[in-house]
Amino acid sequence: MNSKLSGAGKTVVSSAKNLVVAAVFLAFLVNVLPAFASPADDVDARARKIVAQMTLDEKIAELHGTQNKTNFRIVLGLPRLGIPDLPVCNGPAGVGPAGPGHGGPATALPAPIALAATWDTNAAGLFGKISGRETALLGNTLLEAPDINIARTPYNGRTFESFGEDPFLAGRLSVADIQGIQSCGIIANVKHYAANNQETDRLKINELIDERTLRELYLPAFEASVKEGRVGSVMSAYNKVNGDFCCENDFLQNQVLKKEWGFDGFILSDYGAVHSAVPSAKNGLDLEMPGGIYFDGPLERAVQSGEIPQSLLDDKLVRRFRTMMRFGVWDKSPARGDIPPAHADLARQLGAEGVVLLKNTTGLLPLNASHTIALIGPFAGRAMTGGAGSSQVIPFVTVDPVTGIQNLVGNSATVQEDDGKDIDQAVALAKTADTVILMLGDRQTEGRDHPITLGGNQDALAAAVLTANPHTVVVLKTGGPILMPWLAQAPAVLEAWYPGEEDGDVVASVLFGQVNPSGKLPITFPKSGADLPQQSPDQYPGVDGVVHYSEGLLVGYRWYDAKNIEPLFPFGYGLSYTTFGYKDLKVSRPARDRSVTVKFTVTNTGDVAGAEVAQLYLSLPSTPDAPQPPRVLKGFRRVELAPGKSAHVTLTLDARALSYWSIAAHDWKIAPGKYIISVGSSSRELPLTDSFEIRQ
């Protein structure tokens, strides 16, 4: 075993096994509310019986939230008929903003982009369980999470809040996250439906997206959340899609979500996203939040005039009531309590699993406990607990970087910290240290987009410190990709994202080898802003309030592959303190149901235990009517391996995995031709390939 891994403390080479144990432990703790308390038929009949007893005024009052000095983020109930309140909190990164009496400090989990970097559905399930458990402990019954919008552009100010650029990865993680939340008897709320891909002009931007692109990129994760995750609620977004605001978009809400996908839960609006009473009501919206502007007097008058039938209101109420009954929150309020201290340990494990090792050319990492450590940079002083906006969590505890590192190295090293504002002062400190840990980052927020260059003097600081001390590790705390003009100087780079409340312990555990990094990038890092798929203002941020998604399917790694552009770091990329090999690829012929089985072996070829995320990409036949990206992600598996050990991995591709959206047929179709399977450690490192044919 590499002695450096055990030099600073006991070796914990990976956190996945711990997370599985933790998930079992948390499942034991969870029993707060019964999930799916009653059969669907029972709750539907019961909900209809209650709605039949309501007056029109009462129905209107239950179709919107209440927003005043004493109530916010709540739909007030109706004691006359035993209708309970519906208190709502935000929470893609842990329990965030909530109404009076329903909020407070909670576990600030790693940013969702860090969860995406785990490529681990067990981790996503645990993430959801922690969030769901704390939602109940603070007295809420609906959690606004997860946020699964695709990272069309890294300039998006909420890149940190979702799961990256690929719909398959986002869908797998979303399903697991939702199942974790809802196992606690809490209604999950997947958002923002649909294509909420930028903050610039988000309240009015009209996104023009062709049918195939919408179906293959921007809807699949929502479809999986509904069909597999059985999510209880969906949030409609601020923006327009193809001319209609999402909250009054018949195609998205009625035709696709409710009819085609069979969604039986309820749709609520993003806060202030409703623009009408009649179109919104007719086109699928069920609940206006946070208050009643359109689903109050204007909607009531539309019913009284005959423009809207009461039966439409009844359907909206039945949807919400039966969902609350199904989750057990109709008859039993959440059992409030204290946040378990054990959640901090779980947050630390989740954060460490999401750290991505981007570079380690000289073997500088993992670090020994040096005699002097200089901790430099604007993100060295305080824990980076998360991005800003409606997902922001008030941390229950925090561990700053100095504390985390000092706790790990003990008395064997001296840790000095400098914020890097004065570059000359930072350089002087760097020259005196055995090792420098340079912490750089950004601060993404809801409400505005952001540059992908590091702010302030950070690039200049990096260049100066790296020149002053070659034993410098760069630790990035960013919500997404950033440019790195100093990369060639850096011997080692870690992407820690926003690690959450356990920042100091998360980063220290990876730097000093207690955890062997296993994270993989869920989003491509470009070399230059000029390399991005959106090449004109017409594509982003839009012209005269309109954005054309003219890049079509070529988003993220699909773009870089199709255009032969070398990224700074490719999608799916991530190094380890050990090495892995791939062999023995076997691909079955398509079965009658068109399913294909793919088998291969992954071996830990190094001398340290670790985890690898094996990735499967598929190249579909390309035709003039349906051109295809060079390859798309269709499967992945995270495996834990001791040195010299192998794992035999089996992945199955179903008919949907082989399909493309036919604009002519308005349906999923499988094209005849040659299909190429590629397997490896990233979208650009695929040592195993094979193919199969499908005939007409």
Side-chain angles (χ1 to χ4, degrees):
M1 177 174 288
N2 186 336
S3 61
K4 292 172 71 177
L5 276 169
S6 54
K10 70 175 184 178
T11 301
V12 182
V13 295
S14 185
S15 56
K17 290 179 180 176
N18 291 336
L19 289 177
V20 172
V21 173
V24 173
F25 172 66
L26 194 61
F28 172 75
L29 290 176
V30 155
N31 297 314
V32 183
L33 295 170
F36 308 111
S38 304
D41 291 345
D42 292 350
V43 297
D44 187 78
R46 186 181 174 199
R48 292 183 186 282
K49 184 176 180 180
I50 291 170
V51 171
Q53 301 174 60
M54 298 174 71
T55 66
L56 177 58
D57 285 346
E58 289 171 338
K59 291 176 181 178
I60 293 295
E62 288 299 311
L63 289 171
H64 60 78
T66 296
Q67 182 181 13
N68 54 40
K69 291 182 179 180
T70 56
N71 288 295
F72 183 68
R73 285 187 171 273
I74 193 168
V75 183
L76 293 175
L78 181 62
R80 182 180 80 84
L81 294 174
I83 299 172
D85 293 346
L86 178 70
V88 174
C89 61
N90 216 312
V95 180
H102 294 272
T107 302
L109 293 165
I113 193 72
L115 175 62
T118 69
W119 291 57
D120 185 353
T121 55
N122 287 328
L126 177 60
F127 194 98
K129 280 186 169 71
I130 295 169
S131 302
R133 167 90 163 132
E134 296 189 9
T135 296
L137 290 171
L138 291 170
N140 299 283
T141 56
L142 185 146
L143 178 68
E144 294 171 345
D147 176 350
I148 63 170
N149 292 124
I150 297 300
R152 176 178 179 250
T153 170
Y155 293 121
N156 181 15
R158 297 179 89 169
T159 302
F160 75 94
E161 201 178 309
S162 54
F163 296 148
E165 70 189 26
D166 184 79
F168 181 80
L169 177 62
R172 294 301 87 211
L173 297 173
S174 179
V175 168
D177 191 3
I178 289 165
Q179 290 173 339
I181 294 167
Q182 296 188 165
S183 71
C184 303
I186 295 299
I187 302 168
N189 179 239
V190 69
K191 61 184 188 180
H192 309 83
Y193 186 69
N196 186 177
N197 306 123
Q198 64 185 68
E199 292 298 279
T200 301
D201 293 332
R202 66 173 179 167
L203 300 182
K204 61 182 180 181
I205 197 73
N206 181 19
E207 300 166 348
L208 302 184
I209 313 173
D210 72 84
E211 181 183 342
R212 185 179 172 209
T213 298
L214 190 61
R215 290 289 191 163
E216 292 194 22
L217 282 188
Y218 300 107
L219 294 186
F222 286 100
E223 182 179 1
S225 300
V226 169
K227 291 183 175 180
E228 298 176 64
R230 290 195 67 205
V231 70
S233 66
V234 173
M235 178 184 287
S236 274
Y238 287 117
N239 52 280
K240 295 177 181 178
V241 172
N242 294 329
D244 294 320
F245 282 109
C246 288
C247 288
E248 55 189 51
N249 196 306
D250 176 68
F251 174 75
L252 289 176
Q253 296 186 138
N254 281 336
Q255 304 307 318
V256 175
L257 183 56
K258 291 183 176 180
K259 293 180 181 178
E260 183 182 325
W261 295 347
F263 176 62
D264 62 358
F266 61 99
I267 305 173
L268 58 89
S269 73
D270 205 340
Y271 285 36
V274 182
H275 293 264
S276 65
V278 173
S280 296
K282 285 186 173 181
N283 294 335
L285 187 70
D286 299 314
L287 179 65
E288 181 182 8
M289 293 295 286
I293 297 176
Y294 296 97
F295 274 25
D296 195 357
L299 183 59
E300 184 167 14
R301 289 190 290 274
V303 173
Q304 291 168 337
S305 69
E307 192 173 5
I308 293 286
Q310 278 211 46
S311 59
L312 186 61
L313 273 57
D314 295 349
D315 176 72
K316 299 179 187 304
L317 294 169
V318 167
R319 283 176 170 274
R320 180 164 69 84
F321 292 174
R322 74 186 177 203
T323 301
M324 295 174 68
M325 293 171 185
R326 182 162 65 95
F327 282 85
V329 299
W330 185 274
D331 299 305
K332 182 180 179 181
S333 297
R336 299 195 186 203
D338 297 329
I339 303 298
H343 285 192
D345 295 331
L346 302 179
R348 182 175 65 252
Q349 293 175 39
L350 287 165
E353 189 178 322
V355 173
V356 182
L357 177 59
L358 295 177
K359 188 177 180 182
N360 195 24
T361 51
T362 64
L364 179 59
L365 292 176
L367 296 174
N368 286 308
S370 304
H371 294 296
T372 57
I373 297 171
L375 187 57
I376 297 174
F379 289 81
R382 297 175 59 186
M384 186 56 186
T385 60
S390 62
S391 68
Q392 194 161 15
V393 180
I394 301 171
F396 191 70
V397 297
T398 57
V399 181
D400 63 65
V402 172
T403 300
I405 292 171
Q406 195 71 69
N407 286 345
L408 193 147
V409 301
N411 296 324
S412 62
T414 300
V415 182
Q416 293 180 280
E417 186 252 327
D418 185 285
D419 63 14
K421 290 180 181 178
D422 184 325
I423 293 180
D424 290 338
Q425 180 177 299
V427 165
L429 176 61
K431 288 179 177 178
T432 68
D434 297 315
T435 302
V436 176
I437 301 170
L438 180 61
M439 293 191 171
L440 310 174
D442 63 19
R443 300 184 186 277
Q444 291 186 13
T445 180
E446 177 183 0
R448 67 173 184 269
D449 289 341
H450 67 96
I452 57 173
T453 51
L454 291 173
N457 70 346
Q458 291 186 82
D459 284 333
L461 174 66
V465 170
L466 287 164
T467 299
N469 191 326
H471 301 291
T472 296
V473 181
V474 179
V475 177
L476 298 171
K477 298 178 184 178
T478 69
I482 55 100
L483 304 180
M484 305 180 201
W486 37 261
L487 180 62
Q489 295 176 259
V493 181
L494 282 176
E495 174 60 79
W497 315 104
Y498 300 157
E501 68 182 32
E502 297 293 309
D503 179 327
D505 285 343
V506 166
V507 175
S509 69
V510 177
L511 284 172
F512 290 92
Q514 281 194 329
V515 172
N516 188 349
S518 60
K520 300 282 188 176
L521 292 180
I523 187 169
T524 304
F525 279 45
K527 286 185 176 180
S528 164
D531 291 340
L532 295 172
Q534 294 75 36
Q535 298 285 302
S536 68
D538 182 66
Q539 293 175 293
Y540 172 84
V543 176
D544 296 330
V546 178
V547 165
H548 292 266
Y549 281 46
S550 52
E551 73 280 358
L553 298 177
L554 301 184
V555 169
Y557 66 92
R558 294 164 168 82
W559 165 263
Y560 293 89
D561 291 346
K563 302 300 181 181
N564 293 313
I565 298 172
E566 187 70 25
L568 191 65
F569 296 107
F571 176 80
Y573 174 86
L575 302 174
S576 170
Y577 295 153
T578 189
T579 55
F580 298 94
Y582 288 77
K583 62 181 180 180
D584 300 334
L585 177 63
K586 295 180 176 62
V587 179
S588 72
R589 292 181 178 179
R592 276 187 158 185
D593 63 358
R594 299 296 201 184
S595 64
V596 173
T597 301
V598 180
K599 297 181 179 181
F600 55 92
T601 300
V602 182
T603 302
N604 184 338
T605 56
D607 59 359
V608 176
E612 169 72 331
V613 177
Q615 301 161 42
L616 186 160
Y617 295 82
L618 181 65
S619 302
L620 284 75
S622 190
T623 67
D625 291 337
Q628 297 289 349
R631 64 191 64 86
V632 291
L633 180 72
K634 293 293 184 179
F636 60 90
R637 181 69 49 80
R638 190 176 189 277
V639 293
E640 298 271 342
L641 292 170
K645 297 298 183 181
S646 297
H648 303 291
V649 178
T650 300
L651 298 172
T652 300
L653 303 178
D654 59 13
R656 176 65 177 270
L658 310 184
S659 301
Y660 71 97
W661 183 264
S662 168
I663 295 176
H666 305 294
D667 202 356
W668 296 100
K669 295 294 181 182
I670 296 178
K674 184 178 181 180
Y675 291 72
I676 301 173
I677 297 285
S678 301
V679 172
S681 60
S682 81
S683 62
R684 288 289 178 102
E685 186 63 33
L686 299 165
L688 303 182
T689 59
D690 200 350
S691 63
F692 60 90
E693 295 275 347
I694 290 182
R695 297 178 181 176
Q696 190 67 44

